[in-house]
Every structure is written in structure tokens, then in C-alpha cells.
Amino acid sequence: MFRGQECSLSPQGAASLMNPQSLIRHMQSNYIQCIASGGQPPNYKFFFYAQKDGATAFFLVECIVNTASAKAQLKIKGDDGTAAEAFSTLFQSALSKFGLS
């Protein structure tokens, strides 16, 4: 299963990306791990993964963030379509809260 979508970051979240490690730590606090990241202002690319609790379902996320527009392009892949839909919602919720706490 594959889903591509765009979501927004808060202005505080976009500003927080001057230190990309802050997004990695934020996502880790939501049980989403980063396997690779890179880039330079205003474009950053992150690769995240997560596993569904108590299941063998895995999810991979390519997240390209543009700090100038405060937008993120997401490509979410998962082997369980129903769970991937729920994970997509969870990932976007975590991303939307970045920089607000």
C-alpha cells in the first residue's frame, strides 16, 4: 500500500527545523524512528519507520519538508492497507504537533 499526501507544519515547527534533530526526537517520542535524514535549508528529507503494536505490519515514510512554505510531502508505505490508513493519520497528527510543545 502506498499513500502520497501533503500536510502543513506549524510556523513554530518549521522554525524548529533549523535543528533537524528536533524533529527526529519529536517523532521518536511518538514511537516513530528515523533511519536517515539530510538536506539543507529550506529542504530537508527524513525517512521514518514504525511497527504496529503486537503485529508484523511495518510502515515506511519519506518526509520532505520545506521550511519556507511550512509544508511536508509524505509518502507512506505499508503492507497492511487498513493499518496504513490509521498510521497515516497518526503520523500527520504527530507532525502537526511538532514545535507546539
Side-chain angles (χ1 to χ4, degrees):
M1 197 225 140
F2 166 80
R3 287 183 50 117
Q5 57 219 31
E6 181 178 275
C7 64
S8 296
L9 283 149
S10 69
Q12 299 93 323
S16 297
L17 272 171
M18 294 307 157
N19 174 8
Q21 289 297 317
S22 58
L23 177 60
I24 293 169
R25 285 191 300 273
H26 172 75
M27 296 311 272
Q28 284 174 333
S29 73
N30 287 278
Y31 307 101
I32 299 168
Q33 304 300 316
C34 182
I35 51 177
S37 65
Q40 54 192 357
N43 295 304
Y44 295 95
K45 187 180 276 192
F46 300 89
F47 293 93
F48 295 102
Y49 76 96
Q51 181 177 8
K52 185 177 177 188
D53 235 2
T56 56
F58 285 91
F59 310 101
L60 299 172
V61 181
E62 177 186 36
C63 178
I64 302 170
V65 178
N66 181 300
T67 57
S69 67
K71 298 277 186 204
Q73 295 286 330
L74 304 177
K75 291 180 184 170
I76 299 173
K77 297 178 183 180
D79 49 4
D80 177 338
T82 306
E85 189 76 33
F87 174 74
S88 173
T89 301
L90 175 98
F91 188 91
Q92 288 183 62
S93 174
L95 192 60
S96 71
K97 292 176 183 148
F98 174 59
L100 298 179
S101 50

